[in-house]
Structure formats: structure tokens, C-alpha cells
Amino acid sequence: MKIFERYLFGKLVGTLLSGLLACAGVYAGEHSDLRWHGFLSQGVIHTDENNFFGDSTGTSVDFRDVGVGFSWQPQDRLLFSTQALYRDAGGTSPNGVSVDYALVNYSLINKLDFGLDVRAGRVKNPLAFYSETRDVAGTRPSVILPVSIYAPAFRDIFHSSDSGMLSGYKEAGNWLINLDLLRGTVPFDERSGRLLIPVAQPGSIEDSKLWMARSIVEYDGGRIRFGVTYFKFNARLDTVGGPGRINPGHLDVDTRILSFEYNWENLQFNSEYMRIDSIYKGIFVPGLDVKRESESYYVQLGYRFNEKLRVFGRYDVYYADRNDKSGNGQLMLGRPKSDGFTKDVVVGAQYRFFDHWMLAGEVHHINGTAALGVIENPDVSKVKEDWNLYTLQLSYKF
Amino acid sequence: MGVFKRNKWLRIASMMFLLCAGNLYAESQQLIVNVSHTENSLSRNTARAIFSMRVQHWNDGRPIRVFVLPDKHPSHQVFTRETLSLFPHQLRRSWDRYVYSGIGTAPIEVENEEEMIAKVAATPGSIGYTRQEILNENIRTLSVR
């Protein structure tokens, strides 16, 4: 039954997308309410130890995003939109083209001080400050988003979903309160499923359910922003168990994120904090619940010389298990202790030019290897706890 | 003595010039709407809501068409900073979120102030801004409260 539902949903998304593309063909050029957009980026990464986004110890260029999409407004309260995305992030994400979103949005109420939209389809999840535009390099505050909140491995599971959404705002004096509510399923594919079940083991993820709620409160046109995100995810892992393998069982994930931003003249301060509580029911040991609580945060200070040039510094921390900050538990999984944490000191700069272009570069000094993909660093003896990462990225968006 | 006098007059002249220039600067940034619009003023919060693309309808329910100049255009920067009390990058962030997550649209960008005036004059329900003198009967100016 579930398989049938998923099949039906996949069909629905596919039909919606091809219908939209057909409409686009007919209306393009003559209909002003059809709008195209797109973006692309190419990055270069070098690390002195460990691999991040490809074979980076030898300098990797496996770091690019290309997206193209459009929106169509057949009448002023109704919006169809879709975006196709090509990503290459070394071994951490599947290469190739995917449907990033394909949705229909209906504006129920759109008054100056109060609004409510209803949305359905494949949507970008409302998660913390940067999740919805995380693949568009030109919108990011840095080449690599803070791994504490936006870990690359996390992206493929919690970045977008097949969902229904309610999205509203209320303005009161100088305050603006935004609220997003979501209920849906995570579109796991062969590759993203591997983040939960190892490559060597056959299995699938079934009955995934996702609930999300986010509120962002803004004061004085966004001078101060405060956000709270809560989400709950559960799924059934359908595997054939055994010693050293992932056993069939349930996974429950509870996540809370706090976000804060303060703008003062040309200075911007950001900080986000996240806590993920995961319960692995029978997955590691049949019949036994294993609970793990991760904890992570970053603080970031940016300075804008003008609309073109911005510099920033950041301290970014992630602990896979907040009750085991030195990572002893990783040894049981056959991984080094340093896989249990990451402490990243970053400085970087961004330069915008010719309206749509941006060149960005940054230097990371990292203690810990939790942000690395296991697939890219399979040899434990080569994993180094202290390492540096240098990256340069050129991006374009329209 | 003569030098002192000349300096004094120079100072007075330059001060007057600065005062006039300051006034010109402040008065010349105008919020403009198509003649179909009936109200005479807008609160700053409403202007922000419209130019950030959060609000797409006037109070009477008609759709709003928003026109803007490129980010780097001096008039855009002055308008954003002085009328909206925002930085251009703050507006851009709002538009980016709508466009790249598919839940809304960005304003329509025009090349220059002549095109801005022509587009606002020709489009019912439209809003824009300019520093130029307006000699177009299809355009009205709005004050920001």
C-alpha cells in the first residue's frame, strides 16, 4: 500500500512537472507571468588531510551546482513553480539531476498585516535560516554553510520533502511573525537511503513521516531576527539484520533549532543552535532502544564594506553525541574518535560583481572529522583529527 | 584680511550649496504609483512589505506590480536606505528566498529611471520610485508616513 502511495506521489510530481514544462513551452515569451530563474557555481577545494567533496587532498573540483526553474502565475493568487537541480559534491551527495521542488501555492489571505498560503508538492523544508536557498551559492553567507546546522549529509534527508504546508505571517507594529507548518514524507532514493543503511547491506527505508514547524520573528524590517524550528521524523528500516549490520527497526528523530541574527549598520551577527535526539529502536541491537543526542551551534560575525565586499569569521561546533564529546563511542563503530566532533574556525570573503556574479573564498582550520563523508574517507588510518580546508568558488544567479 | 573675507564667503557659499543639495537629495526620491491608485500615502512598514514582495495585493484586492532598478543603481540604494530604512542586500535576500524556493516572485527589474516611469505609467496597480521629475499624467506620487 505504502509503495503504491509513493508510486502515486512520484507520478503526481512527475505529471505536475511535465505539465508545467508543457505550459512553459506554450507561454514562454508571450506570457509575462511566467518567469525563469537559475544559478550555477563551480568551486575548488583543497585540504591538507582528509577528503571533503571529492579527492580534495589532491585539490577537488567536484563541487558544483546548476539549477534552473520557473514559476507561472496563471492567476494572481495561484502559483506553480518547479526547479531542476544538478549537484556534484564528491561522494557526499548523489550526482545527477533531481527535482528540487515542484509545487503549487495558493494564497488564501494576502493582506498588508496578515497572510496565509497553502502549498503542496515537493517543497523546500522550512528549516532554520538558510535551508531553503542552501544550494544557491550566491545566497549563502559562506562557500560552505556551517556544518553544525547544515551538514552536507543532513541535506539529502531533511532538505526537501513531499508535503502539504501552511505558511502565514502577521504584522504587529514593528514586528513581523512568520509561521510555517509542514506534514509530509522524505523522498528517499537509492543513494540518500545509504546515509542510514550502509552501502554493503541491502535494505530500504519505509513509512517515512515528517512534521515540521518553524517560526521566524523579525523586528524593524529584519534588523533583529529570531527563529525556532522543531521537527519530528520517523521511519522504518527494512533490512536483513545480523552481526555488524543494521537490523530492521524504527528510527525516531526529534530536532530543535534556535536561530538568531542581529544587524547593526554594516555588522551582522548570526548564531544558530541545534539539538537532535535520535532513538534507534532495535536497529543496532535487536529489541534494544539506543538513544543519541547530538548538539551543535555556530557563531558568526560578518562585516560589509559595501554592497560588493563582505568579510566574515565563524566558529562552528558539532558533537555527534553530547554525552560523549570526545567521541569514544565512535571506536565501537570502527571509526576514529574524531568522527564524533567537529570544531571549525573559518575566515572568508565574498565579492559581488556585474550584478549576478560572486567570487567567494575561505580558510577553515578544523579539529575533528564528523563533517566528513565516510564514503570519501573509508580508510580509518588515513583520517587525521586536525586538518585545514581552503576553498574558492565562483557563482552566478539570475 | 582679504583672504579671510574670501574664505568666509566661500564657506557660506559652500554651506548654502550643501543645504540646497541636501534638500534636493531628500525631496527628489519619490515613491510613484500608477494613476489607478487612490490613496495618497503609505506607511514605511507597508512599503517594506510591498518591496520585499511579501504583500502582493493592495487593500482593495487588486494585484500589486512592483518595479525596481538594479541593485547597484544609485536611486535603488538611496530608495532602499532612506525610504525603506533597509540595505539593498536585505531586500535581495527576501526575493532570493521566494524565487529559489518557488513560493513567490521577485520584483520586475527595469534598466533605468526612464523605463521605470514608462512601466509604472503603463501598468495598473504598479509601484516604483524615481529621482527624476515626473511629467506623466498616468503617474502619481505617494508620501511615506
Side-chain angles (χ1 to χ4, degrees):
Chain A
M1 190 61 197
K2 288 290 166 192
I3 290 170
F4 178 68
E5 272 178 27
R6 249 164 56 180
Y7 170 77
L8 210 65
F9 203 93
K11 269 277 195 217
L12 191 72
V13 170
T15 310
L16 193 67
L17 193 69
S18 49
L20 282 167
L21 282 168
C23 290
V26 173
Y27 281 87
E30 65 187 57
H31 202 284
S32 64
D33 285 329
L34 185 115
R35 307 224 199 147
W36 292 93
H37 67 264
F39 53 91
L40 55 100
S41 71
Q42 174 66 56
V44 184
I45 292 193
H46 173 73
T47 50
D48 55 0
E49 307 284 353
N50 308 325
N51 284 321
F52 188 86
F53 285 180
D55 180 18
S56 60
T57 42
T59 303
S60 168
V61 291
D62 291 348
F63 184 22
R64 67 184 72 89
D65 297 302
V66 181
V68 63
F70 64 86
S71 69
W72 176 48
Q73 224 169 345
Q75 54 133 309
D76 71 55
R77 288 186 180 276
L78 187 63
L79 181 80
F80 292 94
S81 65
T82 186
Q83 181 170 290
L85 177 67
Y86 170 84
R87 288 189 82 230
D88 183 355
T92 56
S93 254
N95 288 4
V97 179
S98 62
V99 178
D100 195 27
Y101 61 76
L103 61 88
V104 52
N105 188 86
Y106 189 77
S107 175
L108 293 168
I109 303 163
N110 186 236
K111 293 188 181 299
L112 291 173
D113 62 343
F114 178 63
L116 187 65
D117 283 21
V118 57
R119 201 170 297 146
R122 177 159 300 171
V123 299
K124 293 288 193 100
N125 292 339
L127 187 154
F129 276 160
Y130 299 108
S131 174
E132 287 122 305
T133 56
R134 65 177 293 161
D135 293 320
V136 189
T139 70
R140 292 199 289 258
S142 52
V143 176
I144 296 167
L145 282 172
V147 293
S148 53
I149 315 292
Y150 308 96
F154 203 60
R155 177 198 173 280
D156 288 336
I157 306 184
F158 297 124
H159 173 74
S160 66
S161 61
D162 295 334
S163 296
M165 262 185 92
L166 276 177
S167 189
Y169 62 83
K170 170 77 188 138
E171 191 185 73
N174 245 340
W175 296 86
L176 176 69
I177 302 152
N178 298 285
L179 181 67
D180 295 295
L181 300 170
L182 174 151
R183 165 76 172 88
T185 62
V186 178
F188 281 105
D189 58 21
E190 184 54 32
R191 188 65 186 260
S192 59
R194 293 298 164 207
L195 294 163
L196 297 177
I197 303 167
V199 183
Q201 194 181 343
S204 63
I205 296 149
E206 303 292 337
D207 305 340
S208 80
K209 290 188 190 75
L210 184 69
W211 295 261
M212 246 178 200
R214 179 184 67 180
S215 179
I216 293 181
V217 177
E218 299 183 2
Y219 176 72
D220 193 20
R223 195 157 62 81
I224 302 171
R225 300 166 77 214
F226 183 75
V228 186
T229 307
Y230 171 76
F231 77 83
K232 196 172 168 59
F233 164 77
N234 55 50
R236 184 166 59 83
L237 270 59
D238 194 0
T239 62
V240 178
R245 310 184 87 182
I246 295 290
N247 296 292
H250 284 88
L251 172 64
D252 282 358
V253 178
D254 253 314
T255 301
R256 281 142 287 173
I257 307 170
L258 297 175
S259 310
F260 177 74
E261 179 183 304
Y262 182 73
N263 292 280
W264 184 71
E265 300 286 327
N266 292 326
L267 274 175
Q268 185 182 63
F269 174 79
N270 294 71
S271 184
E272 298 192 283
Y273 170 90
M274 177 163 82
R275 169 91 185 261
I276 306 177
D277 294 356
S278 311
I279 305 174
Y280 299 84
K281 294 179 175 167
I283 290 170
F284 294 133
V285 185
L288 193 73
D289 290 0
V290 176
K291 189 173 182 184
R292 206 170 74 170
E293 298 166 354
S294 82
E295 185 169 58
S296 51
Y297 61 88
Y298 73 88
V299 285
Q300 176 177 281
L301 190 64
Y303 182 80
R304 222 174 268 270
F305 289 95
N306 46 51
E307 287 293 320
K308 285 185 167 172
L309 182 65
R310 175 180 168 271
V311 292
F312 75 95
R314 181 170 71 214
Y315 183 55
D316 188 18
V317 181
Y318 170 83
Y319 295 109
D321 185 346
R322 72 188 194 101
N323 300 310
D324 174 26
K325 289 185 175 172
S326 52
N328 289 316
Q330 295 293 323
L331 297 171
M332 282 162 56
L333 303 168
R335 297 293 303 172
K337 284 166 74 172
S338 61
D339 268 20
F341 56 89
T342 276
K343 293 166 219 166
D344 184 359
V345 180
V346 196
V347 287
Q350 297 175 313
Y351 181 72
R352 291 170 196 276
F353 58 102
F354 299 150
D355 285 351
H356 302 282
W357 292 86
M358 184 170 86
L359 182 68
E362 62 204 36
V363 176
H364 296 244
H365 176 67
I366 304 160
N367 170 246
T369 52
L372 297 174
V374 175
I375 297 167
E376 291 184 309
N377 298 275
D379 186 350
V380 175
S381 68
K382 287 186 179 162
V383 173
K384 296 285 189 297
E385 184 176 323
D386 284 292
W387 53 297
N388 295 302
L389 183 152
Y390 311 89
T391 178
L392 204 60
Q393 185 183 52
L394 183 67
S395 63
Y396 175 82
K397 68 179 165 77
F398 70 89
Chain B
M1 192 64 189
V3 172
F4 174 70
K5 246 186 183 166
R6 219 172 68 203
N7 262 348
K8 192 174 141 194
W9 282 112
L10 212 69
R11 274 213 325 257
I12 290 169
S14 58
M15 259 171 71
M16 281 178 72
F17 174 77
L18 280 174
L19 276 172
C20 290
N23 268 339
L24 277 172
Y25 204 62
E27 283 178 9
S28 59
Q29 186 66 62
Q30 302 170 95
L31 190 61
I32 55 173
V33 286
N34 184 267
V35 70
S36 60
H37 193 71
T38 49
E39 289 165 47
N40 293 318
S41 68
L42 214 57
S43 74
R44 192 182 65 181
N45 281 350
T46 302
R48 279 175 172 175
I50 290 170
F51 280 91
S52 69
M53 299 301 280
R54 175 161 57 80
V55 175
Q56 294 129 35
H57 298 89
W58 295 108
N59 270 337
D60 60 11
R62 288 177 311 137
I64 306 176
R65 295 279 174 258
V66 183
F67 291 99
V68 292
L69 291 161
D71 283 7
K72 65 174 180 191
H73 198 289
S75 285
H76 179 72
Q77 302 202 357
V78 172
F79 171 74
T80 311
R81 291 207 169 100
E82 297 191 355
T83 308
L84 302 180
S85 292
L86 293 174
F87 287 107
H89 68 258
Q90 286 177 290
L91 278 185
R92 180 59 67 181
R93 174 165 75 179
S94 169
W95 306 339
D96 283 348
R97 197 175 71 82
Y98 287 127
V99 170
Y100 298 113
S101 65
I103 59 173
T105 54
I108 301 159
E109 196 173 294
V110 293
E111 291 274 312
N112 50 46
E113 307 216 20
E114 288 73 31
E115 194 188 347
M116 171 72 85
I117 290 168
K119 283 276 166 64
V120 173
T123 315
S126 63
I127 187 166
Y129 51 84
T130 182
R131 284 196 288 181
Q132 289 191 357
E133 194 185 350
I134 300 150
L135 304 162
N136 190 318
E137 59 187 19
N138 288 322
I139 283 185
R140 298 177 47 207
T141 58
L142 286 189
S143 62
V144 178
R145 295 192 297 269

